[in-house]
Amino acid sequence: MRSAAAALTASALLTACVTAQNTGGESATPSGRSEANAQRAQTPVRPTGPLNVALLVPLSGPQADTGQTLVTAARTAVTDAGPQGIHLTVHDTHGTPEGARAAADAALAGKADLVLGPLFSVAAQAVKPVLARAGVPALSFSNNRAVAGEGLYLLGHLPGQQTAALLDYAAAQGHGRVVVASPDTSYARMVAQATREHLARGTRGQLVDSRLFPADLDYDSQVDLVKELASMDPTAVVIPTAGIGLVGLSALFEYYDATPPKVRLLGTDLWEWPGAFAEGSLQGGWYVSTSTPPAWTEQQTGARVSGSGPMGTADAMDADGHDSAETDDGAATGSDTGGNGEDAAPAATAPEPEPESEPEAIRLFAGPGKLERLAMDAVALAQGWAKARYQVGAGSDPITRFLTDPAGFRGYTGLFRLTASGLNERGLHVLEITEDGPDMLRPAPVSFGMRGAPTRLVGPDVVARLPWLAAEYEALEPLDPMTGPTASSTAPATAPPSASPGPVAAPAPVSGTDTGCRWRGRVQVCGPTS
């Protein structure tokens, strides 16, 4: 009996063992599933179609022309299609908050993965909660930092960052006693506040006074205001306005001897209009901009680049912004008559007087204007993400990580990066106003210090067919702080006082005694390391 029971027990154990082997057993089943899941996880899930991108701009209402300009620029920048590219749709905001919300709803109904726009801060504020609920980020063209965040990123040129970069450069050159004067506008208030905050944090500058006055302030009162500010012995005057307001204030400061080299008038890229360069009292003023002067680009590369006026208009503007087309009021009538109606002897043909040559139009920048370039960069960012998600797999790397890469990007507007707060930082040129146009004092950096090389949003094929962009890339490349100055720089350079880099971190100086500076005629040009 005992041997029979033992046999039955052994048989049962053998059956259980065989069953476990055939099924993989309890202990083997999870391990098998885990290995299979790991193998599937390592295989990226490729997107099956292009990235859906919606452009929200005003195509009706007072800003319809501006909206259409942005649409044209955006479509020009679309270079990639298919699963690694984008599908761009356009939605009219009608220039109102209500219209912007309706446009955002339409974009989400069309399964938008990314929104470009809106243009103005009121529209951006209106669409932000709509897009945030859907988890769709937006690249707005606004420069109002109050609307940034919660998935809405600003591409507009921020006056605060421009002000900080300008003040740092001015202080490094000995212009640290600052006054602010301007008609009272929302833009002027942003600059005045940025000036106050920046100088309060630093040790190289001092805000002496700030005066924002009503736009309708009478002339005599403006005279008294400028007289009082000039008597405070400032070395720098920040004027955050343009047009007749800028010209009027600069003329008054000149009258009270607040002129270079003792005093520098300072401005943001709001100064970038032809009338500023025609005004004698603004000569020697400094401003910052992302726009690379064509004259400097040509000097660096030896290649002529086509010029443009504001908003990308053709290079046919004079200093006053009027069309410079020639007229010929002295054209011959084509008839030759004798005194009495008889055939007359042919008269000697006098040489036709040559028309007086008109001065060449002041060229502030080449290629499209700043606003168009923002739209082109927005599309380039979308295309960059479309390629990245195709390479890493859909859903494996969030778009926010791509957009806020600390190394930043290099696109149609030069060097820039987006921050987690929704703001942006840009590489800025420091320029001087001359009667011949903007003169380069300090080129913008081409990288954010030791963060690594920025991602190039514009491929070589695109650069090759845009001469103005190719020239800008070539002109700035020799000043790359990671490689130092070009070998052609032979003149010794003396380092100016070190300038605080502001939000753009400067790398360590080039080893040895080379300061990275060089002479351009009478002007010493220094890279961001100096």
Side-chain angles (χ1 to χ4, degrees):
M1 291 292 292
R2 281 197 301 270
S3 60
L8 288 172
T9 302
S11 177
L13 290 173
L14 181 61
T15 302
C17 181
V18 172
T19 303
Q21 288 178 351
N22 290 339
T23 61
E26 270 188 32
S27 60
T29 300
S31 175
R33 285 200 300 266
S34 176
E35 291 177 2
N37 290 341
Q39 185 175 5
R40 284 195 296 270
Q42 292 175 359
T43 304
V45 180
R46 304 293 187 189
T48 57
L51 187 76
N52 289 320
V53 179
L55 176 63
L56 276 56
V57 290
L59 297 178
S60 56
Q63 298 298 328
D65 290 344
T66 302
Q68 188 56 58
T69 297
L70 290 171
V71 171
T72 301
R75 286 176 172 162
T76 301
V78 176
T79 58
D80 298 311
Q84 297 189 56
I86 68 172
H87 173 64
L88 182 67
T89 59
V90 180
H91 304 272
D92 185 8
T93 65
H94 301 284
T96 66
E98 297 77 16
R101 279 192 292 269
D105 288 336
L108 294 177
K111 307 297 183 183
D113 300 302
L114 177 66
V115 166
L116 312 183
L119 175 59
F120 298 111
S121 59
V122 290
Q125 187 66 52
V127 305
K128 185 164 76 169
V130 177
L131 299 178
R133 284 194 297 269
V136 175
L139 303 175
S140 173
F141 306 123
S142 170
N143 65 356
N144 188 344
R145 60 185 297 143
V147 302
E150 300 178 43
L152 191 141
Y153 300 89
L154 301 183
L155 290 179
H157 300 172
L158 303 179
Q161 188 208 344
Q162 295 184 56
T163 302
L166 187 66
L167 292 173
D168 281 343
Y169 181 83
Q173 313 306 316
H175 300 281
R177 284 182 55 83
V178 181
V179 298
V180 180
S182 173
D184 189 5
T185 63
S186 59
Y187 187 91
R189 286 193 291 273
M190 285 191 285
V191 171
Q193 180 66 19
T195 301
R196 186 177 300 107
E197 293 175 353
H198 186 73
L199 293 179
R201 288 193 300 267
T203 59
R204 302 165 65 188
Q206 173 190 0
L207 179 61
V208 178
D209 204 345
S210 178
R211 302 288 183 89
L212 302 183
F213 53 86
D216 58 354
L217 184 68
D218 63 89
Y219 179 75
D220 289 343
S221 297
Q222 291 188 43
V223 172
D224 292 339
L225 183 149
V226 171
K227 180 180 179 181
E228 183 179 357
L229 291 176
S231 69
M232 298 176 181
D233 294 325
T235 57
V237 181
V238 177
I239 308 180
T241 189
I244 192 64
L246 172 61
V247 171
L249 284 172
S250 67
L252 287 175
F253 277 103
E254 181 184 46
Y255 180 79
Y256 288 107
D257 296 325
T259 56
K262 178 186 175 183
V263 181
R264 294 285 177 178
L265 303 186
L266 307 178
T268 65
D269 63 3
L270 205 63
W271 282 19
E272 207 161 49
W273 61 288
F277 297 84
E279 172 56 38
S281 61
L282 280 169
Q283 302 299 307
W286 295 344
Y287 71 101
V288 290
S289 176
T290 60
S291 301
T292 307
W296 183 80
T297 301
E298 292 163 8
Q299 185 182 39
Q300 296 291 103
T301 63
R304 167 80 178 182
V305 295
S306 59
S308 294
M311 294 300 295
T313 53
D315 187 14
M317 306 287 286
D318 61 22
D320 297 321
H322 301 300
D323 292 337
S324 59
E326 295 182 359
T327 58
D328 187 4
D329 296 330
T333 62
S335 62
D336 188 7
T337 60
N340 56 8
E342 299 175 353
D343 291 341
T349 304
E352 193 170 335
E354 301 226 358
E356 293 184 7
S357 60
E358 296 188 7
E360 183 179 1
I362 293 178
R363 296 182 301 138
L364 306 184
F365 48 83
K370 289 191 288 290
L371 191 56
E372 291 109 315
R373 293 199 192 201
L374 290 184
M376 297 170 79
D377 267 346
V379 168
L381 276 170
Q383 292 181 149
W385 167 242
K387 290 181 180 178
R389 69 166 192 157
Y390 186 85
Q391 294 169 356
V392 302
S396 60
D397 193 22
I399 187 172
T400 52
R401 187 182 305 172
F402 172 82
L403 293 176
T404 57
D405 181 357
F409 307 93
R410 189 174 180 188
Y412 296 96
T413 58
L415 177 70
F416 72 97
R417 64 181 171 187
L418 302 175
T419 67
S421 63
L423 303 178
N424 69 70
E425 298 174 4
R426 294 187 173 276
L428 297 168
H429 305 299
V430 180
L431 306 171
E432 181 173 328
I433 288 184
T434 75
E435 61 182 2
D436 297 322
D439 192 18
M440 182 73 78
L441 294 180
R442 192 207 66 192
V446 294
S447 70
F448 288 100
M450 307 307 291
R451 296 284 188 171
T455 299
R456 293 208 175 193
L457 297 176
V458 187
D461 55 332
V462 178
V463 174
R465 59 183 173 83
L466 297 175
W468 52 270
L469 188 61
E472 287 181 7
Y473 271 46
E474 183 182 350
L476 289 168
E477 204 61 50
L479 291 172
D480 190 331
M482 304 303 293
T483 59
T486 58
S488 61
S489 178
T490 57
T494 303
S498 176
S500 170
V504 180
V510 182
S511 60
T513 59
D514 195 336
T515 63
C517 299
R518 69 193 73 180
W519 289 95
R520 299 294 180 197
R522 295 179 294 104
V523 179
Q524 191 181 45
V525 177
C526 299
T529 58
S530 61

